[in-house]
Amino acid sequence: MRTLLVLFGLGAALLVAQDTKVDQTGETPIEVKFAPGGRVRMDLCPSGTEIVGTEDKFVRVSYHPDRDDVRVRIRIDGNHADLGVTGCPHNNFQLRVELPKASALQVRMMAGQVDVRGVQGDKDVEVSFGQLTMEVGEPDDYERVDASVNSGQINAPAFDVSKGGLFRSFDRSGPGRYRLHAHVGAGQVDLR
């Protein structure tokens, strides 16, 4: 029984040790350890954003140009990460987020361009105004795919779909285990 209590205590200590909070303004890059297989939720300011899956075990945020008013907040809670970036300038701001490639991804951004590549897992990305380009990998890796635009274009050669105009969308079911949701209010969705 005593051994069981010691093991339980060590397990709880490891879980607590994984909890991390970072809140930095005007610093780039910012890096926090994060294990593959987790969920990463992002709330990003308008920008040109590149989200890249890597072999590394961290979430890393970098941006250009350096600005004193850009605020990056990262909260890691076990296998969940919340990332927020605010205070971005209104023109030519470039943001890069690196995360373990085996991650489930949820991204929300008001305006700009989002490019996602190298992420193997669920992808849920919405941009109100702008362009979303996403590498999807193998189409058969997905159980469910849905993409839509209120006004604009959907180009999804990976799924043999090309549509333009108002309120365009498509849904697809497949044999895989991942889910893909892509939405742009006004602009373009590219799934490659």
Side-chain angles (χ1 to χ4, degrees):
M1 181 68 174
R2 184 177 189 169
T3 302
L4 184 60
L5 288 174
V6 168
L7 288 174
F8 178 77
L10 286 173
L14 286 174
L15 286 175
V16 170
Q18 290 179 347
D19 293 349
T20 304
K21 289 182 184 178
V22 173
D23 190 342
Q24 299 290 333
T25 302
E27 293 186 28
T28 182
I30 296 170
E31 184 176 300
V32 179
K33 289 184 181 182
F34 186 66
R39 296 185 95 39
V40 180
R41 189 180 77 69
M42 300 181 197
D43 185 10
L44 306 175
C45 57
S47 59
T49 299
E50 181 181 27
I51 299 169
V52 181
T54 69
E55 296 290 338
D56 297 317
K57 296 179 180 178
F58 59 75
V59 172
R60 181 178 189 187
V61 178
S62 55
Y63 53 86
H64 180 77
D66 292 351
R67 296 288 298 233
D68 290 340
D69 47 355
V70 175
R71 181 179 180 190
V72 177
R73 289 166 291 134
I74 304 172
R75 181 173 184 257
I76 308 289
D77 185 6
N79 66 348
H80 289 44
D82 284 310
L83 167 64
V85 180
T86 57
C88 302
H90 295 292
N91 57 346
N92 298 322
F93 184 73
Q94 300 297 310
L95 180 65
R96 179 179 171 98
V97 180
E98 299 169 61
L99 64 156
K101 69 179 182 179
S103 296
L105 183 63
Q106 180 188 44
V107 179
R108 298 296 181 263
M109 189 164 81
M110 181 59 144
Q113 180 173 341
V114 177
D115 296 320
V116 179
R117 69 175 188 275
V119 178
Q120 300 170 341
D122 293 340
K123 298 169 194 70
D124 177 348
V125 184
E126 294 186 6
V127 179
S128 297
F129 305 96
Q131 181 167 346
L132 167 59
T133 302
M134 193 180 316
E135 278 184 6
V136 298
E138 292 296 321
D140 286 341
D141 287 346
Y142 296 93
E143 173 187 17
R144 171 119 174 125
V145 175
D146 71 274
S148 61
V149 294
N150 293 342
S151 174
Q153 179 114 14
I154 299 173
N155 292 315
F159 303 102
D160 295 322
V161 173
S162 181
K163 299 179 176 190
L166 297 175
F167 304 107
R168 300 298 179 194
S169 65
F170 83 93
D171 293 298
R172 177 186 179 272
S173 296
R177 63 182 185 157
Y178 301 126
R179 298 178 69 87
L180 188 152
H181 167 74
H183 174 76
V184 173
Q188 185 167 334
V189 174
D190 289 313
L191 304 177
R192 303 173 183 180

